Coordinates of all heavy atoms in Angstrom, one line a residue:
M161 N -4.3 15.2 -7.5 CA -4.2 13.8 -7.2 C -5.3 13.1 -8.0 O -6.4 13.4 -8.0 CB -4.3 13.5 -5.7 CG -4.2 12.0 -5.4 SD -4.3 11.6 -3.7 CE -2.7 12.1 -3.1
A162 N -4.9 12.0 -8.7 CA -5.9 11.2 -9.5 C -6.7 10.4 -8.5 O -6.1 9.7 -7.7 CB -5.2 10.4 -10.5
T163 N -8.0 10.4 -8.6 CA -8.8 9.6 -7.7 C -9.8 8.7 -8.4 O -10.6 8.1 -7.7 CB -9.6 10.5 -6.7 OG1 -10.3 11.4 -7.5 CG2 -8.6 11.3 -5.8
D164 N -9.7 8.7 -9.7 CA -10.7 7.9 -10.4 C -10.3 6.4 -10.4 O -9.3 6.0 -11.0 CB -10.8 8.3 -11.9 CG -11.8 7.5 -12.7 OD1 -12.4 6.6 -12.1 OD2 -11.9 7.8 -13.9
P165 N -11.1 5.6 -9.7 CA -10.7 4.2 -9.5 C -10.9 3.4 -10.9 O -10.4 2.3 -11.0 CB -11.7 3.6 -8.5 CG -12.8 4.6 -8.5 CD -12.3 5.9 -8.9
N166 N -11.5 4.0 -11.8 CA -11.7 3.4 -13.1 C -10.5 3.7 -14.1 O -10.5 3.3 -15.2 CB -13.0 3.8 -13.7 CG -14.2 3.3 -12.9 OD1 -14.2 2.2 -12.4 ND2 -15.1 4.2 -12.7
D167 N -9.6 4.5 -13.6 CA -8.5 4.8 -14.4 C -7.5 3.7 -14.4 O -6.8 3.4 -13.5 CB -7.8 6.1 -13.8 CG -6.5 6.5 -14.6 OD1 -6.2 5.8 -15.6 OD2 -5.9 7.4 -14.1
S168 N -7.5 2.9 -15.5 CA -6.7 1.7 -15.6 C -5.2 2.0 -15.9 O -4.4 1.1 -15.8 CB -7.2 0.8 -16.7 OG -7.2 1.4 -17.9
N169 N -4.9 3.3 -16.2 CA -3.5 3.6 -16.4 C -2.8 4.2 -15.2 O -1.7 4.8 -15.4 CB -3.5 4.7 -17.6 CG -3.9 4.1 -18.9 OD1 -3.6 2.9 -19.2 ND2 -4.6 4.8 -19.7
W170 N -3.4 4.1 -14.1 CA -2.8 4.7 -12.9 C -1.4 4.2 -12.6 O -0.5 5.0 -12.1 CB -3.7 4.6 -11.7 CG -3.9 3.2 -11.2 CD1 -5.0 2.4 -11.6 CD2 -3.1 2.4 -10.3 NE1 -4.9 1.2 -11.0 CE2 -3.8 1.2 -10.2 CE3 -2.0 2.6 -9.6 CZ2 -3.3 0.1 -9.4 CZ3 -1.5 1.6 -8.8 CH2 -2.1 0.4 -8.7
R171 N -1.1 3.0 -12.9 CA 0.3 2.4 -12.6 C 1.4 3.2 -13.4 O 2.5 3.2 -12.9 CB 0.3 0.9 -13.0 CG -0.5 0.1 -12.0 CD -0.6 -1.3 -12.6 NE -1.6 -2.1 -11.9 CZ -1.3 -2.9 -10.9 NH1 -0.1 -3.1 -10.5 NH2 -2.3 -3.6 -10.3
L172 N 1.0 3.7 -14.5 CA 2.0 4.4 -15.3 C 2.5 5.7 -14.7 O 3.6 6.2 -14.9 CB 1.4 4.8 -16.7 CG 1.0 3.6 -17.6 CD1 0.3 4.1 -18.9 CD2 2.2 2.7 -17.9
R173 N 1.7 6.2 -13.7 CA 2.0 7.5 -13.0 C 2.5 7.2 -11.6 O 2.6 8.1 -10.8 CB 0.9 8.4 -13.1 CG 0.4 8.8 -14.5 CD -0.5 9.9 -14.5 NE -1.7 9.8 -13.7 CZ -2.8 9.1 -14.0 NH1 -2.8 8.4 -15.1 NH2 -3.8 9.0 -13.1
A174 N 2.7 6.0 -11.3 CA 3.1 5.6 -9.9 C 4.5 6.1 -9.6 O 5.4 6.0 -10.4 CB 3.1 4.1 -9.8
A175 N 4.6 6.7 -8.4 CA 5.9 7.2 -7.9 C 6.9 6.0 -7.7 O 8.1 6.2 -7.8 CB 5.7 7.9 -6.6
C176 N 6.4 4.8 -7.5 CA 7.3 3.7 -7.3 C 7.6 3.0 -8.7 O 8.3 1.9 -8.7 CB 6.6 2.7 -6.4 SG 5.0 2.0 -7.0
K177 N 7.1 3.5 -9.8 CA 7.3 2.9 -11.1 C 8.8 2.7 -11.3 O 9.5 3.7 -11.1 CB 6.7 3.7 -12.2 CG 6.7 3.2 -13.5 CD 6.1 4.1 -14.5 CE 6.5 3.8 -15.9 NZ 6.3 4.8 -16.8
G178 N 9.2 1.6 -11.7 CA 10.6 1.3 -12.0 C 11.4 0.9 -10.8 O 12.6 0.5 -10.9
S179 N 10.8 1.0 -9.6 CA 11.6 0.5 -8.4 C 11.5 -1.0 -8.4 O 10.6 -1.6 -9.0 CB 11.0 1.1 -7.1 OG 9.8 0.5 -6.8
N180 N 12.4 -1.6 -7.7 CA 12.3 -3.1 -7.6 C 11.4 -3.6 -6.5 O 11.3 -4.8 -6.3 CB 13.7 -3.7 -7.5 CG 14.4 -3.3 -6.2 OD1 13.7 -2.7 -5.3 ND2 15.7 -3.5 -6.0
G181 N 10.7 -2.7 -5.8 CA 9.7 -3.1 -4.9 C 10.3 -3.5 -3.5 O 9.5 -3.9 -2.6
E182 N 11.6 -3.4 -3.3 CA 12.1 -3.9 -2.1 C 11.6 -3.1 -0.8 O 11.6 -3.6 0.3 CB 13.7 -3.9 -2.1 CG 14.3 -2.5 -2.2 CD 15.8 -2.5 -2.3 OE1 16.4 -3.6 -2.5 OE2 16.4 -1.5 -2.1
L183 N 11.2 -1.9 -1.0 CA 10.6 -1.1 0.1 C 9.2 -1.5 0.4 O 8.7 -1.5 1.5 CB 10.6 0.4 -0.2 CG 12.0 1.1 -0.3 CD1 11.7 2.6 -0.6 CD2 12.7 1.0 1.0
F184 N 8.5 -2.0 -0.7 CA 7.1 -2.2 -0.6 C 6.7 -3.6 -0.1 O 5.6 -3.9 0.3 CB 6.5 -1.9 -1.9 CG 6.6 -0.5 -2.3 CD1 7.8 0.0 -3.0 CD2 5.7 0.5 -1.9 CE1 7.9 1.3 -3.3 CE2 5.8 1.8 -2.2 CZ 7.0 2.2 -2.9
Y185 N 7.7 -4.6 -0.3 CA 7.4 -6.0 0.1 C 8.5 -6.5 1.0 O 9.7 -6.1 0.8 CB 7.3 -6.8 -1.1 CG 6.2 -6.4 -2.1 CD1 6.5 -5.6 -3.2 CD2 4.9 -6.8 -1.9 CE1 5.5 -5.3 -4.0 CE2 3.9 -6.5 -2.7 CZ 4.2 -5.7 -3.8 OH 3.2 -5.3 -4.6
P186 N 8.2 -7.5 1.8 CA 9.2 -8.2 2.6 C 10.2 -8.8 1.6 O 9.8 -9.2 0.5 CB 8.5 -9.2 3.4 CG 7.1 -9.0 3.2 CD 6.9 -8.0 2.1
K187 N 11.4 -8.9 2.0 CA 12.4 -9.5 1.0 C 12.1 -11.0 0.7 O 12.2 -11.4 -0.5 CB 13.8 -9.5 1.7 CG 14.6 -8.3 1.3 CD 16.1 -8.5 1.7 CE 16.8 -7.3 1.1 NZ 17.6 -6.6 2.1
S188 N 11.5 -11.7 1.6 CA 11.2 -13.1 1.4 C 10.0 -13.5 2.2 O 9.9 -13.1 3.4 CB 12.4 -14.0 1.7 OG 12.1 -15.3 1.8
A189 N 9.2 -14.3 1.6 CA 8.1 -14.9 2.4 C 8.6 -15.9 3.4 O 7.9 -16.3 4.3 CB 7.0 -15.4 1.5
L190 N 9.8 -16.4 3.1 CA 10.3 -17.5 3.9 C 11.1 -17.0 5.1 O 11.1 -17.7 6.2 CB 11.2 -18.4 3.1 CG 10.5 -19.0 1.8 CD1 11.5 -19.8 1.0 CD2 9.4 -19.9 2.2
I191 N 11.7 -15.9 5.0 CA 12.5 -15.3 6.1 C 11.7 -14.2 6.7 O 11.5 -13.1 6.1 CB 13.9 -14.9 5.6 CG1 14.6 -16.0 4.9 CG2 14.7 -14.3 6.7 CD1 15.8 -15.6 4.1
K192 N 11.4 -14.3 8.0 CA 10.6 -13.3 8.7 C 11.5 -12.1 9.0 O 12.6 -12.2 9.5 CB 10.1 -13.9 9.9 CG 9.0 -13.0 10.6 CD 8.3 -13.8 11.6 CE 7.4 -13.0 12.6 NZ 6.6 -12.0 12.0
E193 N 11.0 -10.9 8.7 CA 11.7 -9.7 9.0 C 11.5 -9.4 10.5 O 10.5 -9.7 11.1 CB 11.1 -8.5 8.3 CG 11.3 -8.3 6.9 CD 10.5 -7.2 6.3 OE1 9.3 -7.0 6.6 OE2 11.1 -6.4 5.5
S194 N 12.5 -8.7 11.1 CA 12.3 -8.3 12.5 C 11.3 -7.1 12.4 O 11.1 -6.5 11.4 CB 13.6 -7.8 13.1 OG 14.0 -6.6 12.4
K195 N 10.7 -6.9 13.5 CA 9.7 -5.8 13.6 C 10.4 -4.5 13.2 O 9.8 -3.7 12.5 CB 9.2 -5.8 15.1 CG 8.1 -4.7 15.2 CD 7.6 -4.8 16.7 CE 6.5 -3.7 16.9 NZ 6.1 -3.7 18.3
E196 N 11.6 -4.3 13.7 CA 12.3 -3.0 13.4 C 12.6 -2.8 12.0 O 12.4 -1.8 11.4 CB 13.6 -2.9 14.2 CG 13.4 -2.8 15.7 CD 13.0 -4.2 16.4 OE1 13.3 -5.3 15.8 OE2 12.4 -4.1 17.5
V197 N 13.0 -3.9 11.3 CA 13.3 -3.8 9.9 C 12.1 -3.6 9.1 O 12.0 -2.8 8.2 CB 14.0 -5.1 9.4 CG1 14.1 -5.2 7.9 CG2 15.4 -5.2 10.0
R198 N 11.0 -4.3 9.5 CA 9.7 -4.1 8.8 C 9.2 -2.7 8.9 O 8.8 -2.1 7.9 CB 8.7 -5.1 9.3 CG 7.3 -4.9 8.7 CD 6.3 -5.9 9.2 NE 6.2 -6.0 10.7 CZ 5.6 -5.2 11.5 NH1 5.0 -4.1 11.0 NH2 5.6 -5.3 12.8
Q199 N 9.2 -2.2 10.1 CA 8.7 -0.8 10.3 C 9.5 0.2 9.6 O 9.0 1.1 9.0 CB 8.7 -0.5 11.8 CG 7.6 -1.2 12.6 CD 7.7 -1.0 14.1 OE1 8.7 -0.7 14.6 NE2 6.5 -1.1 14.7
R200 N 10.8 0.0 9.5 CA 11.7 1.0 8.8 C 11.4 0.9 7.3 O 11.2 1.9 6.6 CB 13.1 0.6 9.1 CG 14.1 1.5 8.4 CD 14.1 2.9 8.9 NE 15.1 3.7 8.2 CZ 14.9 5.0 7.9 NH1 13.8 5.6 8.4 NH2 15.8 5.7 7.2
R201 N 11.3 -0.3 6.8 CA 11.0 -0.5 5.4 C 9.6 0.1 5.0 O 9.5 0.8 4.1 CB 11.0 -2.0 5.0 CG 10.6 -2.3 3.6 CD 10.6 -3.8 3.3 NE 9.7 -4.6 4.1 CZ 8.4 -4.6 4.1 NH1 7.8 -3.8 3.2 NH2 7.7 -5.3 4.9
E202 N 8.6 -0.2 5.9 CA 7.3 0.4 5.6 C 7.3 1.9 5.7 O 6.6 2.5 4.9 CB 6.3 -0.3 6.6 CG 6.0 -1.7 6.3 CD 5.2 -2.4 7.3 OE1 4.9 -1.8 8.4 OE2 4.7 -3.5 7.0
E203 N 8.0 2.5 6.6 CA 8.0 3.9 6.7 C 8.6 4.5 5.4 O 8.1 5.6 4.9 CB 8.8 4.4 7.9 CG 8.0 4.3 9.2 CD 6.6 4.9 9.1 OE1 6.5 6.1 8.7 OE2 5.6 4.3 9.5
L204 N 9.7 3.9 4.9 CA 10.3 4.4 3.7 C 9.4 4.3 2.5 O 9.3 5.2 1.7 CB 11.6 3.7 3.5 CG 12.8 4.0 4.5 CD1 14.0 3.1 4.2 CD2 13.2 5.5 4.4
A205 N 8.7 3.2 2.5 CA 7.7 3.0 1.4 C 6.6 4.0 1.4 O 6.2 4.6 0.4 CB 7.1 1.6 1.4
K206 N 6.1 4.3 2.7 CA 5.0 5.2 2.8 C 5.5 6.6 2.4 O 4.7 7.4 1.9 CB 4.6 5.2 4.3 CG 3.7 4.0 4.7 CD 3.4 4.1 6.1 CE 2.3 3.2 6.5 NZ 1.8 3.5 7.9
R207 N 6.7 6.9 2.6 CA 7.2 8.3 2.2 C 7.1 8.4 0.7 O 6.8 9.5 0.2 CB 8.7 8.4 2.6 CG 8.8 8.8 4.0 CD 10.3 9.1 4.4 NE 10.5 8.9 5.7 CZ 11.7 9.0 6.3 NH1 12.8 9.3 5.5 NH2 11.9 8.7 7.6
V208 N 7.4 7.3 0.0 CA 7.3 7.3 -1.5 C 5.8 7.5 -1.9 O 5.4 8.3 -2.7 CB 7.8 6.0 -2.2 CG1 7.6 6.1 -3.7 CG2 9.3 5.9 -1.8
C209 N 4.9 6.8 -1.2 CA 3.5 6.8 -1.4 C 2.9 8.2 -1.2 O 2.0 8.7 -1.9 CB 2.7 5.8 -0.6 SG 3.1 4.1 -1.0
L210 N 3.5 8.9 -0.2 CA 2.9 10.2 0.1 C 3.1 11.2 -1.0 O 2.3 12.1 -1.2 CB 3.7 10.8 1.4 CG 3.1 10.5 2.7 CD1 3.9 11.1 3.8 CD2 1.6 11.0 2.8
R211 N 4.1 11.0 -1.8 CA 4.3 11.9 -3.0 C 3.7 11.3 -4.3 O 4.0 11.8 -5.4 CB 5.7 12.4 -3.1 CG 6.7 11.2 -3.4 CD 8.1 11.7 -3.5 NE 9.1 10.7 -3.6 CZ 9.3 10.0 -4.7 NH1 8.6 10.2 -5.8 NH2 10.2 9.0 -4.7
C212 N 3.0 10.3 -4.2 CA 2.5 9.6 -5.4 C 1.1 10.1 -5.7 O 0.2 10.1 -4.9 CB 2.4 8.1 -5.1 SG 1.8 7.1 -6.5
E213 N 1.0 10.5 -7.0 CA -0.3 11.1 -7.4 C -1.4 10.1 -7.6 O -2.6 10.5 -7.8 CB -0.1 11.9 -8.7 CG 0.2 11.0 -9.9 CD 0.3 11.9 -11.2 OE1 -0.8 12.1 -11.8 OE2 1.4 12.3 -11.6
V214 N -1.1 8.8 -7.6 CA -2.1 7.8 -7.8 C -2.4 7.0 -6.6 O -2.9 5.9 -6.7 CB -1.8 6.9 -9.0 CG1 -1.9 7.7 -10.3 CG2 -0.5 6.2 -8.9
R215 N -2.1 7.6 -5.5 CA -2.2 6.8 -4.2 C -3.6 6.3 -4.0 O -3.7 5.1 -3.5 CB -1.8 7.8 -3.0 CG -1.7 7.1 -1.7 CD -0.9 7.9 -0.7 NE -1.2 9.3 -0.7 CZ -1.9 9.9 0.3 NH1 -2.3 9.2 1.3 NH2 -2.2 11.1 0.3
L216 N -4.6 7.1 -4.2 CA -5.9 6.6 -4.0 C -6.3 5.5 -4.9 O -7.0 4.5 -4.5 CB -6.9 7.8 -4.1 CG -6.7 8.9 -3.0 CD1 -7.8 10.0 -3.2 CD2 -6.8 8.3 -1.6
C217 N -5.9 5.6 -6.2 CA -6.2 4.5 -7.1 C -5.5 3.2 -6.7 O -6.1 2.1 -6.7 CB -5.7 4.9 -8.5 SG -6.7 6.2 -9.3
C218 N -4.3 3.4 -6.2 CA -3.5 2.2 -5.8 C -4.2 1.5 -4.6 O -4.3 0.3 -4.5 CB -2.1 2.7 -5.4 SG -1.0 1.4 -4.8
L219 N -4.5 2.3 -3.6 CA -5.2 1.8 -2.4 C -6.5 1.1 -2.8 O -6.8 0.0 -2.3 CB -5.4 2.9 -1.3 CG -6.0 2.4 0.0 CD1 -5.3 1.3 0.6 CD2 -6.2 3.6 0.9
D220 N -7.3 1.8 -3.6 CA -8.6 1.3 -4.0 C -8.4 -0.1 -4.7 O -9.1 -1.1 -4.4 CB -9.3 2.3 -5.0 CG -10.6 1.8 -5.4 OD1 -11.5 1.8 -4.6 OD2 -10.7 1.4 -6.6
W221 N -7.4 -0.2 -5.6 CA -7.1 -1.4 -6.3 C -6.8 -2.5 -5.3 O -7.3 -3.6 -5.4 CB -6.0 -1.2 -7.3 CG -5.9 -2.4 -8.3 CD1 -6.5 -2.5 -9.5 CD2 -5.1 -3.6 -8.1 NE1 -6.2 -3.7 -10.0 CE2 -5.3 -4.4 -9.2 CE3 -4.3 -4.0 -7.0 CZ2 -4.8 -5.6 -9.3 CZ3 -3.8 -5.3 -7.1 CH2 -4.0 -6.1 -8.3
A222 N -5.9 -2.2 -4.4 CA -5.4 -3.2 -3.4 C -6.6 -3.7 -2.5 O -6.7 -4.9 -2.3 CB -4.3 -2.6 -2.5
M223 N -7.5 -2.8 -2.2 CA -8.6 -3.1 -1.3 C -9.6 -4.0 -2.1 O -10.1 -5.0 -1.6 CB -9.3 -1.9 -0.8 CG -8.4 -1.0 0.1 SD -8.0 -1.7 1.7 CE -9.4 -1.5 2.6
R224 N -9.8 -3.6 -3.3 CA -10.8 -4.4 -4.1 C -10.3 -5.8 -4.5 O -11.1 -6.7 -4.7 CB -11.1 -3.6 -5.4 CG -12.0 -2.4 -5.2 CD -12.2 -1.7 -6.5 NE -12.8 -0.4 -6.3 CZ -14.1 -0.2 -6.3 NH1 -14.9 -1.1 -6.4 NH2 -14.5 1.1 -6.1
N225 N -9.0 -5.9 -4.6 CA -8.4 -7.1 -5.1 C -7.8 -8.0 -4.0 O -7.1 -9.0 -4.2 CB -7.4 -6.9 -6.2 CG -8.0 -6.4 -7.5 OD1 -8.6 -7.1 -8.2 ND2 -8.0 -5.1 -7.7
G226 N -8.0 -7.5 -2.8 CA -7.5 -8.4 -1.6 C -6.0 -8.6 -1.6 O -5.6 -9.6 -1.2
E227 N -5.3 -7.5 -1.9 CA -3.8 -7.6 -1.8 C -3.5 -7.8 -0.3 O -3.9 -7.0 0.5 CB -3.1 -6.4 -2.3 CG -3.0 -6.3 -3.8 CD -2.0 -7.4 -4.3 OE1 -1.2 -7.9 -3.5 OE2 -2.1 -7.7 -5.5
V228 N -2.8 -8.9 0.0 CA -2.6 -9.2 1.4 C -1.1 -8.9 1.8 O -0.8 -8.9 3.0 CB -2.9 -10.7 1.8 CG1 -4.4 -10.9 1.6 CG2 -2.1 -11.6 0.9
V229 N -0.3 -8.6 0.9 CA 1.1 -8.4 1.2 C 1.6 -7.0 0.7 O 1.2 -6.6 -0.4 CB 2.1 -9.5 0.7 CG1 3.5 -9.2 1.0 CG2 1.7 -10.8 1.2
G230 N 2.4 -6.3 1.5 CA 3.0 -5.1 0.9 C 2.3 -3.8 1.3 O 1.2 -3.8 1.8
V231 N 3.0 -2.8 0.9 CA 2.5 -1.4 1.1 C 1.8 -1.0 -0.2 O 2.5 -1.0 -1.3 CB 3.6 -0.4 1.5 CG1 3.0 1.0 1.5 CG2 4.2 -0.8 2.8
W232 N 0.6 -0.7 -0.1 CA -0.2 -0.2 -1.3 C -0.9 1.1 -0.9 O -1.6 1.1 0.1 CB -1.3 -1.3 -1.7 CG -0.7 -2.5 -2.3 CD1 -0.1 -3.5 -1.7 CD2 -0.7 -2.8 -3.7 NE1 0.3 -4.5 -2.6 CE2 0.0 -4.1 -3.8 CE3 -1.1 -2.2 -4.9 CZ2 0.2 -4.7 -5.1 CZ3 -0.9 -2.8 -6.1 CH2 -0.3 -4.1 -6.2
G233 N -0.8 2.1 -1.7 CA -1.6 3.3 -1.4 C -1.2 3.9 -0.1 O -2.0 4.6 0.5
G234 N 0.0 3.7 0.3 CA 0.5 4.2 1.6 C 0.0 3.5 2.8 O 0.1 4.0 3.9
K235 N -0.6 2.3 2.6 CA -1.1 1.5 3.8 C -0.4 0.2 3.8 O -0.3 -0.5 2.7 CB -2.6 1.3 3.7 CG -3.4 2.6 3.7 CD -3.4 3.3 5.0 CE -4.2 4.6 5.0 NZ -4.0 5.4 6.2
T236 N -0.1 -0.2 5.0 CA 0.5 -1.6 5.1 C -0.6 -2.6 5.1 O -1.8 -2.3 5.2 CB 1.3 -1.7 6.5 OG1 0.3 -1.6 7.5 CG2 2.3 -0.6 6.6
E237 N -0.1 -3.9 5.0 CA -1.1 -4.9 5.0 C -2.0 -4.9 6.3 O -3.2 -5.2 6.3 CB -0.5 -6.3 4.8 CG 0.6 -6.6 5.8 CD 1.9 -6.9 5.1 OE1 2.3 -6.2 4.1 OE2 2.6 -7.8 5.6
R238 N -1.3 -4.6 7.4 CA -2.1 -4.6 8.7 C -3.1 -3.4 8.7 O -4.2 -3.6 9.1 CB -1.1 -4.5 9.9 CG -0.4 -5.7 10.2 CD 0.8 -5.5 11.1 NE 1.6 -4.4 10.8 CZ 2.5 -4.3 9.7 NH1 2.6 -5.4 9.0 NH2 3.2 -3.3 9.5
E239 N -2.7 -2.3 8.2 CA -3.6 -1.2 8.1 C -4.8 -1.4 7.2 O -5.9 -1.1 7.5 CB -2.8 0.1 7.6 CG -1.8 0.6 8.7 CD -0.9 1.6 8.2 OE1 -0.6 1.7 6.9 OE2 -0.4 2.4 9.0
R240 N -4.5 -2.1 6.0 CA -5.6 -2.5 5.1 C -6.6 -3.5 5.8 O -7.8 -3.4 5.6 CB -5.1 -3.0 3.8 CG -4.3 -1.9 3.0 CD -4.1 -2.3 1.5 NE -3.5 -3.7 1.4 CZ -2.2 -3.9 1.5 NH1 -1.3 -2.9 1.7 NH2 -1.7 -5.1 1.3
R241 N -6.0 -4.4 6.5 CA -6.9 -5.4 7.2 C -7.8 -4.7 8.2 O -9.0 -5.0 8.3 CB -6.0 -6.5 7.9 CG -5.7 -7.6 7.0 CD -5.2 -8.8 7.8 NE -4.1 -8.6 8.7 CZ -2.8 -8.6 8.4 NH1 -2.5 -9.0 7.2 NH2 -1.9 -8.4 9.3
A242 N -7.2 -3.7 8.9 CA -8.0 -3.0 9.9 C -9.1 -2.2 9.2 O -10.2 -2.1 9.7 CB -7.1 -2.1 10.7
M243 N -8.7 -1.6 8.0 CA -9.7 -0.8 7.3 C -10.9 -1.8 6.8 O -12.1 -1.4 6.9 CB -9.1 -0.2 6.1 CG -8.1 0.9 6.4 SD -7.1 1.5 5.0 CE -8.3 2.4 4.1
L244 N -10.6 -2.9 6.4 CA -11.6 -3.9 5.9 C -12.5 -4.3 7.1 O -13.7 -4.4 7.0 CB -11.0 -5.1 5.3 CG -10.5 -5.0 3.9 CD1 -9.8 -6.2 3.4 CD2 -11.7 -4.7 3.0
K245 N -11.8 -4.6 8.2 CA -12.5 -5.0 9.4 C -13.5 -3.9 9.8 O -14.7 -4.2 10.1 CB -11.5 -5.2 10.5 CG -11.8 -6.4 11.5 CD -10.6 -6.5 12.4 CE -10.8 -7.7 13.3 NZ -9.7 -7.9 14.2
G246 N -13.0 -2.7 9.8 CA -13.9 -1.5 10.2 C -15.0 -1.4 9.2 O -16.1 -1.1 9.6
S247 N -14.8 -1.6 7.9 CA -15.8 -1.4 6.9 C -16.9 -2.5 7.1 O -18.1 -2.2 6.8 CB -15.3 -1.4 5.5 OG -14.8 -2.7 5.2
K248 N -16.5 -3.7 7.5 CA -17.5 -4.7 7.8 C -18.4 -4.4 9.0 O -19.5 -4.9 9.1 CB -16.8 -6.1 8.0 CG -16.3 -6.6 6.7 CD -15.5 -7.9 6.9 CE -14.9 -8.4 5.6 NZ -13.9 -9.4 5.8
K249 N -17.8 -3.6 9.9 CA -18.6 -3.2 11.0 C -19.4 -1.9 10.7 O -20.0 -1.3 11.6 CB -17.7 -2.9 12.2 CG -17.1 -4.2 12.8 CD -16.1 -3.9 13.9 CE -15.5 -5.1 14.5 NZ -14.5 -4.8 15.5
G250 N -19.3 -1.4 9.5 CA -20.1 -0.2 9.1 C -19.3 1.1 9.3 O -19.9 2.1 9.2
V251 N -18.0 0.9 9.7 CA -17.2 2.1 9.9 C -16.8 2.6 8.5 O -16.2 1.9 7.7 CB -16.0 1.8 10.8 CG1 -15.1 3.0 10.9 CG2 -16.4 1.3 12.1
I252 N -17.0 3.9 8.3 CA -16.5 4.4 7.0 C -15.1 4.9 7.2 O -14.9 5.7 8.1 CB -17.5 5.6 6.6 CG1 -18.9 5.1 6.3 CG2 -16.9 6.3 5.3 CD1 -19.9 6.1 6.1
F253 N -14.2 4.4 6.4 CA -12.8 4.9 6.6 C -12.5 6.0 5.6 O -13.0 6.1 4.5 CB -11.9 3.7 6.4 CG -12.0 2.9 5.2 CD1 -11.4 3.3 4.0 CD2 -12.7 1.7 5.2 CE1 -11.5 2.6 2.9 CE2 -12.8 0.9 4.0 CZ -12.2 1.4 2.9
Q254 N -11.5 6.7 6.0 CA -11.0 7.8 5.2 C -9.6 7.5 4.7 O -8.8 7.2 5.5 CB -11.1 9.1 5.9 CG -10.6 10.3 5.1 CD -11.1 11.6 5.6 OE1 -11.8 11.6 6.6 NE2 -10.8 12.7 4.9
V255 N -9.4 7.6 3.4 CA -8.1 7.4 2.9 C -7.2 8.6 3.1 O -7.7 9.7 2.9 CB -8.2 7.1 1.4 CG1 -6.8 6.9 0.8 CG2 -9.0 5.8 1.2
G256 N -6.1 8.4 3.6 CA -5.2 9.6 3.7 C -4.0 9.3 4.6 O -3.9 8.3 5.2
Ligands
LIG363 S1 0.7 4.7 -3.8 FE1 2.7 3.8 -3.3 S2 2.6 1.7 -3.8 FE2 0.9 2.7 -4.8 S3 1.6 3.3 -6.8 FE3 2.0 5.0 -5.5 S4 4.1 4.8 -4.8 FE4 3.5 2.8 -5.6

């Protein structure tokens, strides 16, 4: 698995490359997904992320750049927010 956060070409090896992103983002910012639809979509996205060789680079990029929407590096926006909250409290989080 590639883990170098300085690897700027990580997107080229993304398992989601070429997808339209429908699993990774809500369909619309204007229409709220039901909890069930969101959870199902996120689980399917996470399955893709699990087999992605650049998952750590992706998550690192999202965390550094404050991505607030979507599944990045196998983590949902809520999970990333929790990770940030924990890191501000001095909790060291483990990616995985
Ligand atoms: S970790 Fe997931 S969102 Fe990130 S590049 Fe890989 S498949 Fe795409």
Side-chain angles (χ1 to χ4, degrees):
M161 178 179 286
T163 56
D164 180 1
N166 299 315
D167 177 3
S168 59
N169 292 322
W170 62 267
R171 289 170 195 263
L172 299 174
R173 301 192 308 282
C176 61
K177 184 179 161 198
S179 75
N180 63 11
E182 67 183 12
L183 291 180
F184 297 87
Y185 299 97
K187 267 196 175 125
S188 165
L190 302 175
I191 303 168
K192 192 166 169 43
E193 288 176 313
S194 70
K195 184 178 177 183
E196 294 74 24
V197 168
R198 175 179 51 76
Q199 286 177 333
R200 178 72 181 145
R201 176 181 56 73
E202 290 173 345
E203 281 310 311
L204 291 172
K206 285 177 165 191
R207 284 189 204 172
V208 177
C209 295
L210 269 180
R211 62 178 173 80
C212 181
E213 68 174 275
V214 294
R215 186 161 47 106
L216 296 181
C217 291
C218 177
L219 179 58
D220 181 71
W221 191 92
M223 298 293 281
R224 288 177 192 271
N225 291 284
E227 279 293 343
V228 294
V229 178
V231 174
W232 289 77
K235 300 291 183 191
T236 67
E237 55 239 38
R238 287 167 311 289
E239 291 168 334
R240 293 194 308 278
R241 273 197 305 274
M243 291 168 75
L244 280 175
K245 216 173 184 180
S247 70
K248 286 176 186 166
K249 290 180 182 172
V251 177
I252 298 172
F253 55 80
Q254 181 157 2
V255 176

